[in-house]
Amino acid sequence: ESLANTIMKIVVFTYLLSTALAGNIVEELTAAGATTLVDLVVKAGLAETLAGPGPFTVVAPDNEAFAKLPADLLATLSGDVELLKKVLLFHVVPGMAVMRKDIGNNMIVPFPQQESLHIVNVYLKSKFYDGFVTVNGKLMKKYDITADNGVIHILSDVVYPFPSATITELVAGDERFSTLLAAVSAAGLADTLASEGPFTVFAPTNEAFAKIPKDALDGLLADTEALKKVLLRHVLPTALFKKGISWDTHSTAGGEEEDMIATQVFKGDVIKVVSSVGGTRKGARVVAADIIATNGVIHAIDTVI
């Protein structure tokens, strides 16, 4: 028997053995080193559930992810078992084992108990690269740890808080965006930005609008079509979380070629977004990223583009 054949048999046998001997979700989480998560699962009384028949898909924050949480939030979670349970179950999709190959861009996973959802994205995918996955903007760093009752993917962060408001509701409830809200309402776009999406909105702050001379701004607010065109240039018809932003050009909801915008990423966590309309180039800097909605994500910017 050739050496190659023998090696092949050993490889196949080892593979069969490893799948046959996969433990349940809790055991595999422990083996993967996600011990903080396991401790919290036990504390919340969910260990039995996750050892049950499943299948489950678990997006599991690693120990570093929990260590990054603000101390007061960890204390709150430890003291409030119902909230802890809710947060942990926000990382578990029951009834299915979703492997990495089954994950597509802009997938929406509803969580009725939390009245919330996951927006799942695949970025930088090409013929030559599988890309990478984010869940509500949090990076999936390891895929496809199989258990006998499901599959585990390891995350770099805890997925919290639960998104519960639409983009329109977030803009309406945030005083940084009161001028934007007036503009969105004047342009008749409030319903659009409350619809399913997912969208990305590069949202100019009040300071951004204040850079426009008053006469010009009043004129723009009075001209519905022109206003609509400017605002739609700030909207992408896809969810682009901070982790997915790279040097790239994007078609916007404006639809015309001149409405395309470019994103740029620099050292020191600086992200810029640039438009070029009628030969005029305008650049803005992201001042707050990943304000997450149920229908997408908002990045606050310091200039109207």
Side-chain angles (χ1 to χ4, degrees), residues 142-165:
K142 196 171 178 201
Y143 311 112
D144 294 348
I145 300 170
T146 49
D148 62 13
N149 62 341
V151 62
I152 298 162
H153 308 291
I154 302 289
L155 291 185
S156 63
D157 288 271
V158 177
V159 189
Y160 186 79
F162 314 130
S164 59

Side-chain angles (χ1 to χ4, degrees), residues 33-176:
T35 50
T36 308
L37 177 59
V38 172
D39 291 346
L40 292 171
V41 161
V42 170
K43 186 169 199 161
L46 293 172
E48 211 171 299
T49 307
L50 290 181
F56 303 104
T57 302
V58 179
V59 286
D62 61 9
N63 289 359
E64 277 170 61
F66 283 103
K68 278 192 268 188
L69 286 182
D72 55 345
L73 176 59
L74 265 179
T76 304
L77 288 176
S78 298
D80 182 343
V81 173
E82 280 314 300
L83 177 63
L84 176 61
K85 212 179 213 172
K86 244 180 163 175
V87 170
L88 294 176
L89 288 174
F90 197 52
H91 294 76
V92 179
V93 183
M96 55 180 80
V98 182
M99 304 298 284
R100 166 68 176 88
K101 66 176 173 44
D102 304 319
I103 298 174
N105 194 33
N106 288 324
M107 278 174 93
I108 306 292
V109 184
F111 282 82
Q113 194 199 344
Q114 289 79 358
E115 295 179 352
S116 190
L117 47 72
H118 285 175
I119 302 173
V120 182
N121 293 96
V122 182
Y123 295 122
L124 294 184
K125 190 176 164 71
S126 70
K127 288 199 295 216
F128 310 106
Y129 175 50
D130 260 351
F132 60 90
V133 176
T134 62
V135 177
N136 286 3
K138 313 299 189 192
L139 184 68
M140 203 178 265
K141 48 200 275 197
K142 196 171 178 201
Y143 311 112
D144 294 348
I145 300 170
T146 49
D148 62 13
N149 62 341
V151 62
I152 298 162
H153 308 291
I154 302 289
L155 291 185
S156 63
D157 288 271
V158 177
V159 189
Y160 186 79
F162 314 130
S164 59
T166 64
I167 289 170
T168 299
E169 288 166 339
L170 285 179
V171 167
D174 191 325
E175 56 211 22
R176 288 175 294 183

Side-chain angles (χ1 to χ4, degrees), residues 201-205 208-209 211-212 220 229-236 250 252 258-263 272-278 280-286 299 301-305:
V201 177
F202 290 101
T205 60
F209 280 104
K211 290 180 183 176
I212 302 173
L220 184 61
K229 193 166 167 55
V230 169
L231 291 175
L232 289 176
R233 192 183 305 137
H234 292 74
V235 179
L236 307 182
H250 308 272
T252 65
E258 73 163 13
D259 294 320
M260 288 181 77
I261 58 173
T263 46
K272 289 188 175 168
V273 53
V274 180
S275 72
S276 180
V277 179
T280 308
R281 188 182 153 87
K282 289 182 186 159
R285 185 172 167 164
V286 172
H299 305 297
I301 55 174
D302 66 358
T303 311
V304 176
I305 57 169

